[in-house]
Each structure stands twice: as C-alpha cells, then as structure tokens.
Amino acid sequence: MQFVDQNKVGTLILGYYRNGTHFLEDVIADQHRGMHKLGEICNDNTINHLVRLTLSKSSRYKICILNNPNPKFFLVGNTDLLQKWHVINLTRTNKVRHFISNWFWMLNTQEERIMDTG
C-alpha cells in the first residue's frame, strides 16, 4: 500500500477513535522525514480546518487524521477537496475487539486519556 503521493497536498487518514490512526501517522512520518505531522483535525465538527490546510500555500507535505465522524458527512460528494489529498480509509476488521478497546477507553476520565494513565 502506498502511504504518500507527492503530487497531493498530503495524506489524509480517515478512521475512527481507537482504530490505529495515530500509529499509522507515526509510521508514515518515520518513513518519510520532513513531513508536517498534524494529528487529528476537524474537531470542531466542520471541515474548515481541512479546507484551510488544502488551500495553504505551504509546500510541506502534510499528514493528518480525521477521526471525528461528524465532519465526514460534509466530505460526502466533496470530490474536489478530497482529490487534492492522498486518502487512506483505515478500518478494523475485528469489530468486537474495536468495541472492547473503545469501551474501556471511554471509561477513562479526560485527564486519564491525556496522561495515558487509565
């Protein structure tokens, strides 16, 4: 699988929480030094951040994650925007394990999630 397309603005990893999106972002950044790793974007339930990144004049290749499900609705049919990105749709095949992982993660407090101590 190809993780980078230098003819695009960057790599957009579409996934869901507890799905391995941050791991994949790290793998791509480790293999391709000098890229701008942005982490999760569009946490305000809009695609405004993605639009700004797409229109940015920066020539640095970007790697970002879209886990939040709400902004994805705005991307349906928005082929002009998505064609500018190398898109990876990351899913888990074992839905039961994903549910268990997500369930226990949701039991953590916000502080435990940030500090990774839960």
Side-chain angles (χ1 to χ4, degrees), residues 20-68:
T21 52
H22 291 274
F23 175 76
L24 180 58
E25 180 188 44
D26 287 340
V27 167
I28 295 169
D30 287 347
Q31 290 180 357
H32 303 277
R33 300 281 179 194
M35 295 187 174
H36 194 179
K37 190 171 101 167
L38 299 166
E40 289 190 40
I41 62 168
C42 301
N43 287 320
D44 64 350
N45 292 328
T46 70
I47 59 169
N48 294 340
H49 193 186
L50 181 61
V51 170
R52 283 193 308 274
L53 291 171
T54 304
L55 300 175
S56 168
K57 301 297 181 198
S58 170
S59 61
R60 261 179 102 183
Y61 193 89
K62 303 162 191 70
I63 308 167
C64 52
I65 298 168
L66 180 53
N67 280 335
N68 188 342

Side-chain angles (χ1 to χ4, degrees), residues 17 34 44 105 110 113:
Y17 308 105
D44 64 350
W105 184 77
Q110 185 66 22
R113 292 178 194 161

Side-chain angles (χ1 to χ4, degrees), residues 15-22 40 67 92 97-106 108 116:
Y16 190 70
Y17 308 105
R18 311 295 303 158
N19 222 21
T21 52
H22 291 274
E40 289 190 40
N67 280 335
R92 288 181 70 162
R97 283 189 182 180
H98 180 255
F99 174 81
I100 292 168
S101 174
N102 197 53
W103 175 266
F104 283 108
W105 184 77
M106 294 295 283
N108 292 330
D116 198 24

